[in-house]
Structures are given as structure tokens and as C-alpha cells.
């Protein structure tokens, strides 16, 4: 619902945007060089395109339009800055992951949320060495914390299976009824992430708070709000604008949540006996070489885990089950593979390499749904030459992941859900260096690629195999089945599938998830 201050402030916001445009136009065109700049819209055309992308809350459509007009490398030069869009996986690899350019393209542009909500850039996702010299150590620490639950490690598996037992019991109780997939999947994904953070299943109140904080920070990170607050941080003090309330809500919710997820576990922390990620980080903090690590660094990393892990995984799982309801023959093939390779025992991470069809289904979902549709913004710290063109210093660079994952030149019949495209003649996954696999950039590439990739894929695997082993996923009976067209997704930093319903009907041979025998002591 729109509040009075929101509607009353739209004129002020428009005026402020106009002011930003005029000031920046002068600075921008003053520095235009005569080098061979990458092609793309300039001046008013560029501004019109940017405004339209900002209004839609997503660059994807605009990027596709530009790409048709200018080719795969697009540089949009407008008064508000240089925006470069990479519309091919080859260009993304060249810009972000080649030895010649990766040191110039892997910073992040400054954003308000990093300074205001993430303890002055004490985080991995939106920070960079230019804001925090210790950033490389933070990224390494993030990896280490995730490794505590890394691939194949029993601890993560048992926590996820615990949650899946709870979920399957809930779904059995709903037997035959339409299930609200948004609620079921996002609640379950949040419970798992918070359990991994503290080692204990969270109170529903804490999970609700974490969800609220994710929603509020996404609002703060949305293009218009972020552009304005980054340029004029003092706007947050003006009473007539919506930013004052937003900022207050973010800080209150964040501090409350950090009390639950950091202060309380810290009070009962026993050195050397980690229960979850917070304890792992507290143990690390005590080491001589980690003197740089303050409590705020730990809080920032915990906030990153919640922000990065919940919505991306929720959207991947929601999309995967929607595709299965639309493609029952894929669901049946997946169940055949599960039945023949796993049978009735509980699925485990070790099974992943034995179930190529399940892996192909995950990759096909990541291709079609591309939850991180534009990745995260990169910043060039010097002029970069790519394909014989210059992308100037200070440009914000996005990869149009969703766009090229649907490119018919790369993926034949791109709108079809066809997991077989990732399998060879023997039904095995194509090797990682196959050109088709190389065209998949769902998790980014290079120094800023996703830290949680294997963590995310392992979790999706356990969810899909456990649920498909026990249930048939069917279209809803009391609601319309959501179509799988572009309009079924809402724009945002993470592409969000609109709410939909499905039926989970227990399979005839239903078996209950029972813990498998531990292979580690
Ligand atoms: C299906 C699920 C996921 C997808 C599709 C995904 C995708 C991405 C993408 C595209 C990026 C940006 C890469 C770039 O800037 O070029 C990213 C960054 C990141 N992701 Fe993920 N992600 C997923 C799940 C996760 C999970 C589960 C975690 C943590 C547990 C995680 C942690 C991160 C972090 C920390 C970064 C920032 C890395 C950096 O800036 O150096 N992600 N992810």
C-alpha cells in the first residue's frame, strides 16, 4: 500500500533525479575521450534507456534491445554515468576472468547499503579492496565459513535432511491440497540457512525478522533508491521522503536480528566446539593472523549469507518445481533415475555424481530462470580494452545473464525446458569445459564469482531428490497453474517468480526420510 509520504515525495524524488542528471552531465561529458569507445547509446537516447530500466527495476529487457541495436558489447554513456552491458558469455569471461583484465574489472561501485547497513563495507558482496583493504581476507573467510558445511560434509547434509523431514511431514499433511509454493519453499530455505548460521533451528519470529530484513535491504538496494541515497546520503534525514522510515526500519531490524544470530550465540560460544557458522567465525577471530576481524566483520558476513543464500535458492527451487509441473515427462525421468540409483534409502550428497539427469535438470533450471539475472555490478578501475573497444574507467558493468542464457545461437530452442541438452550420448553430464557448459554463467566467473555455488547446488540436489522420491509434483486443482512466460517473473536483483500453487501427492511406494548411517565419526 502506498503511504502518504511516498506519494507526496514522488515530485521531490523526480526533481532530485533531475538535479543529479544535470550535475553529472557536466562532469561526464567534460571527460569524454577520443578513444574508440564501445558502441552504445549516447546522450538523450542513453538517458531514456536508463530511465526505462530504472522504472522497470531491471536492465534485462533494455539490455536486449541495446544488444540487437549495437551488438553484444554495449556502453551506455549518459549524464548519470557509464553503464556497460555484456550480452555474451564469451565477453563476460574476457572481462571478468581473463588475466589481462580481471584486476581492472572486479571491484564494486559504491552503494549506500554497503556503507549504511553493512557496517561500512565490512562485507563480501558489495565491498571491494578500495573500500576495505582487508576485503580479500573477508572473501577467504566467507569460503572457510561455508566450508564448515561444504560439499560432502556430513554436518550440512544432516541439517538439511532434518529440515527436509520437517518439510515432507508438512507436505504429507497437506496431501492432495494446493500448496502455496512461495510460503513452503521460502520458509524452508530460510530455516535451513539460519540453522547453518547458529547450529539451531530458528524461532519462527527470528526467521520472520530475517525475511523482513532481506525485503528492506532489497528495497534499499533497488536502483532508484540506491542511486539517490548513494549520491545524497543526507536524504535519509528528510521527513517527507520515504527513506527516513526505510533507513530506520533497516537498522532496527538488523540490530534485533544480530542480537538473535550473533550476540546470543557469542554469549554461549565454547572455543573449538563450533555449532554453526557464527562459532566458526568466532574461533577464527581469536587467531593471531585474524586480528583484523572485528565483531562487525562477523555480523556483515552473517548478513551476506542470509541475503545471498535465501532468495537465490528459493527462486531456483520454486522455478524447478514449476518446470516439473509443466513437464511431467521430465519429472518421471527424474523419478526413474532416483528410484534406480537411490531406491528407497535417504538421498545423500555422495549420490550427486551418480545422478546426471538430476544435475542436468538443475542446470536447465538455472539457465531458464537465471535467478541472478544481471549478476552483481562490477566497476572498472581503469580503461579496459575488450574486442578492440574501450570500456572507460569508472564504468559500472553488468552481465546480461538471463539474456544470453536464452540466446538461440547458443542454446537451441531456448524457451524449452530440455535438460538433455546438458547430457552426452551416454546420458552423462557434458564436461565442464564443453562450450555449452562454458556458456552457463549463472554463478558468475572470476574473482567475484559466487562463493556459495557448490553449497547452493548441493542443497538443490537434496531437496529435489528427497521430494521427488516421495511425491509426484502436480498442477494445482483449485488455482490456475502459473505459466512459464517472462511475465511470470518479477524484476529485482534476484528474479522472483510470482506466487503459485502446486500439489505434492505422496507416491505409491512412499517411504519416509530416515537418517543414513554416518560415514564420519
Ligand atoms: C542458485 C543459487 C545462487 C545463484 C544463482 C548465485 C549467483 C551469484 C552471482 C551471479 C553472483 C555475482 C557474481 C559477480 O559479481 O560476477 C553471486 C555472488 C555471490 N554469492 Fe551467490 N548465488 C547463489 C547462491 C549463493 C549462496 C547459497 C551463497 C552463500 C551461502 C552465495 C554467496 C555469494 C556471495 C558471498 C557473493 C559475492 C561474491 C563477491 O562479491 O566476491 N550465493 N552469486
Amino acid at each position: 500500500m502506498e503511504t502518504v509520504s511516498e506519494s507526496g515525495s514522488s515530485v521531490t524524488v523526480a526533481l532530485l533525479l533531475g538535479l543529479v542528471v544535470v550535475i553529472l552531465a557536466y562532469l561526464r561529458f567534460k571527460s569524454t575521450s577520443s578513444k574508440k569507445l564501445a558502441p552504445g547509446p549516447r546522450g538523450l537516447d542513453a538517458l531514456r534507456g536508463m530511465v526505462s530500466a530504472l522504472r522497470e527495476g531491471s536492465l534485462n529487457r533494455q539490455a536486449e534491445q541495446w544488444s540487437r541495436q549495437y551488438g553484444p558489447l554495449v556502453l551506455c554513456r549518459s549524464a548519470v554515468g557509464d553503464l556497460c552491458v555484456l550480452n555474451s558469455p564469451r565477453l563476460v569471461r574476457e572481462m571478468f576472468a581473463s588475466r589481462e583484465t580481471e584486476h581492472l574489472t572486479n571491484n564494486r561501485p559504491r552503494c549506500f547499503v554497503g556503507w549504511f547497513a553493512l557496517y561500512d563495507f565490512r562485507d563480501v558482496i558489495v565491498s571491494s579492496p578500495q573500500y576495505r583493504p582487508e576485503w580479500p581476507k573477508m572473501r577467504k573467510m566467507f569460503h572457510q565459513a561455508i566450508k564448515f558445511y561444504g560439499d560432502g560434509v556430513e554436518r550440512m547434509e544432516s541439517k538439511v535432511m532434518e529440515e527436509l523431514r520437517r518439510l515432507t511431514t508438512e507436505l504429507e499433511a497437506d496431501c492432495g491440497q494446493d500448496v502455496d509454493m512461495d510460503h513452503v519453499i521460502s520458509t524452508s530455505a530460510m530455516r535451513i540457512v539460519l540453522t547453518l548460521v547458529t547450529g539451531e533451528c530458528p524461532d519462527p519470529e527470528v526467521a520472520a525478522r530475517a525475511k523482513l530484513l532481506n525485503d528492506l535491504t532489497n528495497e534499499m538496494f533497488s536502483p532508484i533508491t540506491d542511486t539517490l541515497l548513494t549520491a545524497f546520503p543526507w536524504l535519509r534525514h528528510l521527513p517527507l521522503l520515504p527513506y527516513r522510515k526505510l533507513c530506520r526500519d533497516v537498522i532496527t531490524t538488523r540490530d534485533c536480528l544480530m542480537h538473535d544470530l550473533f550476540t546470543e550465540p557469542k554469549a554461549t560460544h565454547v572455543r573449538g566446539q563450533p555449532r554453526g557458522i557464527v562459532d566458526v567465525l568466532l574461533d577464527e577471530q581469536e587467531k593471531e593472523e585474524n586480528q583484523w576481524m572485528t565483531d562487525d566483520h562477523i555480523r556483515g558476513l552473517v548478513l551476506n549469507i542470509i541475503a545471498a543464500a535465501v532468495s537465490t535458492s528459493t527462486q531456483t527451487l520454486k522455478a524447478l518445481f514449476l518446470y516439473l509441473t509443466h513437464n511431467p515427462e521430465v519429472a518421471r525421468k527424474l523419478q526413474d533415475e532416483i528410484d534406480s540409483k537411490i531406491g528407497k534409502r535417504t538421498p545423500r550428497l555422495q549420490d550427486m555424481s551418480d545422478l546426471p539427469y538430476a544435475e542436468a535438470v538443475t542446470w536447465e533450471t538455472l539457465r531458464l530462470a537465471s535467478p541472478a539475472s544481471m549478476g552483481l555490478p562490477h566497476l572498472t578501475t581503469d580503461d579496459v580494452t575488450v574486442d578492440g573497444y574501450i570500456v572507460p574507467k569508472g564504468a559500472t558493468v553488468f552481465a546480461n545473464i538471463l539474456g544470453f542464457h536464452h540466446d538461440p545461437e547458443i542454446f537451441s530452442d531456448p524457451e524449452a525446458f530440455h535438460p538433455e541438452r546438458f547430457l552426452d550420448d551416454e546420458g552423462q553430464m557434458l564436461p565442464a569445459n564443453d562450450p555449452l557448459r562454458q556458456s552457463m554463467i549463472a554463478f558468475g566467473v572470476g574473482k567475484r564469482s559466487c562463493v556459495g555455488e557448490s553449497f547452493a547446488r548441493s542443497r538443490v540436489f537434496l531437496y529435489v531428490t528427497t521430494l521427488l522420491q516421495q511425491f509426484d509434483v502436480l498442477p494445482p486443482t483449485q488455482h490456475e497453474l502459473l505459466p512459464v512466460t517472462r511475465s511470470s517473473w518479477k524484476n529485482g536483483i534476484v528474479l522472483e517468480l510470482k506466487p503459485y500453487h502446486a500439489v505434492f501427492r505422496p507416491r505409491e511406494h512412499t517411504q519416509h526420510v530416515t537418517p543414513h548411517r554416518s560415514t564420519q565419526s
Side-chain angles (χ1 to χ4, degrees):
M1 202 175 64
E2 208 182 346
T3 64
V4 176
S5 67
E6 272 170 345
S7 57
S9 63
S10 48
V11 174
T12 321
V13 170
L15 284 173
L16 283 166
L17 260 179
L19 185 67
V20 179
V21 168
V22 173
I23 295 170
L24 295 179
Y26 170 72
L27 297 171
R28 175 95 355 235
F29 292 116
K30 215 177 101 189
S31 67
T32 305
S33 72
S34 57
K35 288 176 227 160
K36 194 182 173 193
L37 287 172
R42 307 284 190 258
L44 263 184
D45 266 357
L47 202 59
R48 229 176 279 130
M50 298 267 262
V51 169
S52 139
L54 283 175
R55 230 188 6 233
E56 276 207 34
S58 158
L59 251 182
N60 292 111
R61 273 177 218 279
Q62 188 58 50
E64 274 160 42
Q65 203 175 311
W66 283 335
S67 146
R68 278 193 295 275
Q69 211 173 334
Y70 300 102
L73 176 67
V74 177
L75 176 68
C76 168
R77 298 211 93 193
S78 81
V80 282
D82 288 334
L83 176 73
C84 173
V85 183
L86 309 171
N87 289 295
S88 93
R90 177 188 62 78
L91 277 175
V92 176
R93 287 186 185 278
E94 263 179 50
M95 277 287 266
F96 296 165
S98 77
R99 208 171 310 143
E100 295 77 45
T101 55
E102 62 176 5
H103 58 292
L104 304 175
T105 57
N106 278 315
N107 281 284
R108 299 271 189 231
R110 194 173 173 82
C111 66
F112 180 75
V113 82
W115 169 71
F116 185 75
L118 291 165
Y119 309 97
D120 196 9
F121 293 99
R122 286 178 178 81
D123 91 303
V124 173
I125 299 178
V126 301
S127 188
S128 288
Q130 83 263 36
Y131 313 120
R132 287 272 150 209
E134 70 272 26
W135 180 84
K137 292 181 189 163
M138 283 195 275
R139 187 171 151 113
K140 223 167 131 197
M141 194 56 72
F142 196 110
H143 260 301
Q144 210 156 319
I146 293 291
K147 253 205 193 135
F148 178 64
Y149 290 112
D151 7 10
V153 176
E154 195 105 341
R155 255 186 301 248
M156 185 267 225
E157 200 174 271
S158 69
K159 298 277 183 208
V160 175
M161 293 317 288
E162 218 174 282
E163 170 55 31
L164 280 171
R165 272 193 290 283
R166 197 173 301 127
L167 181 60
T168 48
T169 309
E170 274 173 31
L171 290 172
E172 272 166 13
D174 284 334
C175 173
Q177 309 254 357
D178 289 4
V179 169
D180 174 350
M181 293 297 285
D182 199 41
H183 176 72
V184 165
I185 305 280
S186 67
T187 310
S188 172
M190 180 61 89
R191 270 199 306 242
I192 288 197
V193 169
L194 297 183
T195 304
L196 299 182
V197 166
T198 62
E200 278 173 24
C201 185
D203 280 350
E205 231 176 78
V206 176
R209 204 168 286 138
K211 182 178 180 319
L212 175 64
L213 185 62
N214 266 357
D215 293 347
L216 290 169
T217 43
N218 279 346
E219 196 179 328
M220 189 173 263
F221 201 38
S222 68
I224 293 189
T225 306
D226 182 57
T227 307
L228 278 174
L229 288 176
T230 304
F232 306 112
W234 45 264
L235 288 179
R236 73 189 187 282
H237 299 301
L238 299 189
L240 284 179
L241 296 181
Y243 309 127
R244 194 158 85 151
K245 179 172 181 331
L246 177 64
C247 289
R248 216 174 27 216
D249 289 350
V250 164
I251 294 301
T252 315
T253 315
R254 180 199 71 179
D255 291 348
C256 227
L257 186 68
M258 283 302 107
H259 179 83
D260 301 321
L261 299 182
F262 178 73
T263 313
E264 283 188 355
K266 186 177 176 180
T268 53
H269 168 68
V270 179
R271 191 193 297 182
Q273 292 179 24
R275 298 159 294 186
I277 286 172
V278 167
D279 284 338
V280 173
L281 294 171
L282 286 168
D283 278 347
E284 286 297 324
Q285 194 186 32
E286 288 180 21
K287 293 184 183 163
E288 180 82 27
E289 68 270 24
N290 292 332
Q291 302 241 322
W292 58 271
M293 202 168 154
T294 63
D295 283 0
D296 278 351
H297 284 96
I298 302 184
R299 292 188 185 100
L301 293 180
V302 169
L303 288 175
N304 273 183
I305 291 170
I306 297 170
V310 179
S311 55
T312 46
S313 308
T314 300
Q315 294 313 319
T316 307
L317 285 166
K318 268 175 65 186
L320 195 152
F321 288 115
L322 183 65
Y323 288 122
L324 292 184
T325 51
H326 279 273
N327 297 276
E329 71 294 347
V330 175
R332 252 192 316 276
K333 253 178 120 167
L334 192 50
Q335 284 176 325
D336 286 347
E337 185 178 68
I338 295 167
D339 292 348
S340 73
K341 301 278 177 49
I342 300 180
K344 296 191 174 188
R345 74 163 163 77
T346 305
R348 45 190 189 230
L349 289 177
Q350 268 166 265
D351 296 320
M352 262 177 102
S353 54
D354 248 1
L355 278 80
Y357 196 69
E359 193 175 353
V361 167
T362 306
W363 277 114
E364 183 66 341
T365 304
L366 287 168
R367 181 187 73 78
L368 273 169
S370 300
S373 63
M374 294 295 291
L376 286 166
H378 289 229
L379 178 80
T380 53
T381 48
D382 206 339
D383 287 0
V384 178
T385 306
V386 63
D387 269 5
Y389 292 109
I390 301 280
V391 175
K393 176 180 175 176
T396 298
V397 187
F398 280 99
N400 184 8
I401 298 172
L402 180 75
F404 55 70
H405 281 176
H406 287 248
D407 182 348
E409 304 265 307
I410 306 174
F411 300 98
S412 59
D413 196 5
E415 302 312 319
F417 187 70
H418 185 55
E420 285 77 4
R421 72 176 82 238
F422 290 109
L423 298 175
D424 65 17
D425 294 344
E426 265 87 55
Q428 295 302 312
M429 270 303 282
L430 295 173
N433 62 359
D434 183 276
L436 204 71
R437 290 276 305 271
Q438 288 282 301
S439 299
M440 287 295 298
I441 311 276
F443 295 97
V445 285
K447 284 182 190 298
R448 300 305 296 244
S449 65
C450 178
V451 183
E453 172 175 349
S454 64
F455 178 87
R457 289 200 291 113
S458 334
R459 233 156 26 120
V460 169
F461 175 80
L462 289 178
Y463 261 84
V464 172
T465 48
T466 304
L467 293 185
L468 267 275
Q469 184 188 49
Q470 300 189 54
F471 298 94
D472 291 319
V473 188
L474 304 168
T477 52
Q478 285 123 36
H479 297 82
E480 293 263 304
L481 176 60
L482 186 71
V484 282
T485 54
R486 276 292 265 284
S487 57
S488 297
W489 271 266
K490 285 187 273 177
N491 291 331
I493 300 153
V494 173
L495 263 195
E496 221 182 283
L497 200 48
K498 288 183 180 164
Y500 77 94
H501 289 75
V503 167
F504 280 75
R505 189 182 61 196
R507 290 176 72 193
E508 275 164 29
H509 72 267
T510 295
Q511 59 118 65
H512 293 268
V513 181
T514 47
H516 59 83
R517 291 241 326 257
S518 171
T519 50
Q520 286 177 8
S521 56

